[in-house]
Amino acid sequence: MKQIILAVAAACALTGCDNKTQTSETEMTPADTLRLRLEAVADSGKVIFGHHDDPVYGHAWAWTDGRSDVLETAGDYPGVMSWDLGGIENGDTANLDGVPFDRMRREIVAQDRRGGINAFSWHLRNAVNNADSWDLSDTTIVHTMLTDTAASAHFDTMLARCADFFNSLRRPDGSKIPVVFRPWHEHTGSWFWWGYRLCTTDDYVALWHRTRQAFDRAGVDNVLWAYSPDRVADIEQYMERYPGDDYVDIMGLDIYHFGGEEGLDTYVSAVDRGLDIARTAADEHHKILAFSETGSESLPMAQWWTDVLLPLLRKGHPAYVVVWRNAWDKPTHYYAPFAGDHSAESFKKFYDDNLTVFATEMQQF
Ligand code: BMA
């Protein structure tokens, strides 16, 4: 599919778009258009910056329209807005961190209009006893969701609600907004009920297949699928639970920096190695590489953006990087700077660097 689209794009560039080309272009799904944009960014050697829940709350503020800690420090919105769908599975009106889904949808439309991208994780409750993502007390949850008749039927309902949300992401002209979806993340760790020690490889892969099939049934054609292990030792571990090329568009990686200066070497070597492994996997399978989650909570190192993250991105060159949320109600839980933060100056230099792409520059891709 990708080759056909690229061939069409090349023909278009050489000869102008004739009717035949136009027909082929209309056959591209919304997801295909996002894939091409991300490939163009990757080809340019640049890296898009992303922040979780950026325009809805930040450090010591919440729900004000138009605000963003990234905007207030860099002067621009992030190129990727990251969101979490936890709660959608139960038909909740707001997600697990209190973000109303209607507000989220409005911000997704705004981000799309300014040329930016939207990406989603899903910290969902389970379909057996409704416990949250971090509840590890039952190590048979995934298996039960796949095999027990009642749990399985409920899981289908949860998937259908999530699929409906993606189908509801529309531009004013009715066309669907393409997004990245990163379900079942950090599965090489064991802190979610779908984690490594909580299910078998077969069950984990079946979970992905089931999710994708439910979305296909619902007609979701605006999602690029991201696979995102946590830190890994080698490519075998990275690929161990890979659901297959037909199910994945983006090879991701989630690695956090713990312990400031003291944890620096551990973080840098884990990211260097992790991005190298994920790059090998992405190249072998013709996928896009992403640094799907990272950050240093409370940003203890004032030069973190320029001295730590920037060199890692320059070396690993993922298409985008996402840092986690600035919680309005947890004063030390923040990963992006805010006005007055001691890392704001380093962040502005990170923004000014040619490597990084924020919302305004996304209009070129
Ligand atoms: C975690 C923390 C939690 C939050 C969860 C889901 O990393 O930020 O406070 O509820 O992600 O967004």
Side-chain angles (χ1 to χ4, degrees):
M1 186 60 180
K2 188 171 121 191
Q3 267 143 5
I4 295 167
I5 293 161
L6 288 178
V8 168
C12 194
L14 287 173
T15 63
C17 294
D18 57 19
N19 285 342
K20 192 158 164 279
T21 308
Q22 302 258 325
T23 310
S24 301
E25 277 190 337
T26 57
E27 283 164 12
M28 274 176 60
T29 64
D32 291 330
T33 64
L34 180 55
R35 184 186 293 105
L36 288 182
R37 290 188 75 202
L38 287 172
E39 284 173 351
V41 174
D43 288 348
S44 77
K46 297 195 174 219
V47 181
I48 313 167
F49 175 78
H51 184 215
H52 192 72
D53 281 351
D54 181 83
V56 289
Y57 61 76
H59 183 71
W61 65 271
W63 319 125
T64 318
D65 273 343
R67 284 198 71 176
S68 146
D69 284 343
V70 167
L71 179 68
E72 289 168 22
T73 46
D76 200 352
Y77 285 103
V80 174
M81 294 294 185
S82 163
W83 306 101
D84 195 274
L85 292 175
I88 203 93
E89 68 281 1
N90 282 341
D92 295 349
T93 54
N95 83 352
L96 76 173
D97 296 316
V99 183
F101 288 114
D102 282 346
R103 170 74 189 271
M104 193 187 287
R105 195 181 289 106
R106 192 150 53 80
E107 295 293 350
I108 289 160
V109 173
Q111 174 70 353
D112 176 72
R113 193 179 328 116
R114 63 173 77 95
I117 288 172
N118 295 280
F120 297 81
S121 52
W122 194 15
H123 287 91
L124 72 165
R125 290 175 174 273
N126 77 55
V128 179
N129 60 23
N130 204 38
D132 68 29
S133 290
W134 295 267
D135 187 303
L136 311 178
S137 57
D138 183 345
T139 58
T140 62
I141 291 292
V142 173
H143 192 71
T144 307
M145 280 170 56
L146 294 166
T147 53
D148 174 82
T149 310
S152 190
H154 183 46
F155 184 34
D156 280 341
T157 304
M158 293 161 78
L159 289 171
R161 285 180 175 141
C162 188
D164 282 353
F165 181 81
F166 286 116
N167 275 332
S168 78
L169 301 177
R170 307 265 175 172
R171 300 185 171 118
D173 67 3
S175 62
K176 282 195 203 168
I177 297 173
V179 299
V180 174
F181 184 36
R182 188 168 57 88
W184 318 122
H185 64 304
E186 299 173 9
H187 66 282
T188 48
S190 297
W191 43 83
F192 299 131
W193 51 255
W194 57 88
Y196 194 69
R197 284 197 295 276
L198 288 297
C199 63
T200 63
T201 296
D202 282 354
D203 282 346
Y204 180 80
V205 168
L207 197 60
W208 260 87
H209 291 182
R210 182 78 171 266
T211 308
R212 179 62 189 262
Q213 282 149 11
F215 277 46
D216 286 349
R217 258 197 320 275
V220 176
D221 59 358
N222 53 331
V223 162
L224 286 183
W225 297 77
Y227 171 74
S228 61
D230 201 82
R231 53 190 73 210
V232 287
D234 49 37
I235 190 145
E236 287 71 31
Q237 191 187 3
Y238 186 91
M239 294 302 287
E240 187 181 354
R241 296 187 170 191
Y242 183 64
D245 283 348
D246 292 345
Y247 295 85
V248 171
D249 302 288
I250 295 172
M251 298 291 200
L253 183 73
D254 289 17
I255 296 184
Y256 280 84
H257 180 172
F258 298 106
E261 197 77 61
E262 268 180 34
L264 180 62
D265 289 350
T266 308
Y267 174 70
V268 168
S269 58
V271 175
D272 258 346
R273 187 189 190 87
L275 284 178
D276 196 45
I277 291 166
R279 155 73 54 207
T280 305
D283 286 353
E284 262 175 31
H285 295 263
H286 309 290
K287 306 297 179 189
I288 295 158
L289 174 67
F291 195 5
S292 36
E293 259 189 64
T294 192
S296 169
E297 189 180 39
S298 303
L299 290 158
M301 295 177 66
Q303 307 301 321
W304 192 78
W305 302 99
T306 36
D307 288 4
V308 182
L309 187 59
L310 199 56
L312 287 170
L313 299 177
R314 225 184 272 294
K315 194 152 169 234
H317 53 94
Y320 65 85
V321 60
V322 169
V323 299
W324 204 242
R325 68 200 197 102
N326 286 11
W328 61 279
D329 55 344
K330 294 188 199 168
T332 60
H333 194 51
Y334 60 87
Y335 294 86
F338 47 87
D341 176 63
H342 74 157
S343 80
E345 205 180 303
S346 167
F347 188 63
K348 183 73 170 75
K349 288 190 190 133
F350 175 85
Y351 170 78
D352 286 336
D353 196 282
N354 258 339
L355 186 81
T356 58
V357 177
F358 284 61
T360 303
E361 200 181 341
M362 280 305 293
Q363 287 158 17
Q364 295 172 26
F365 294 98

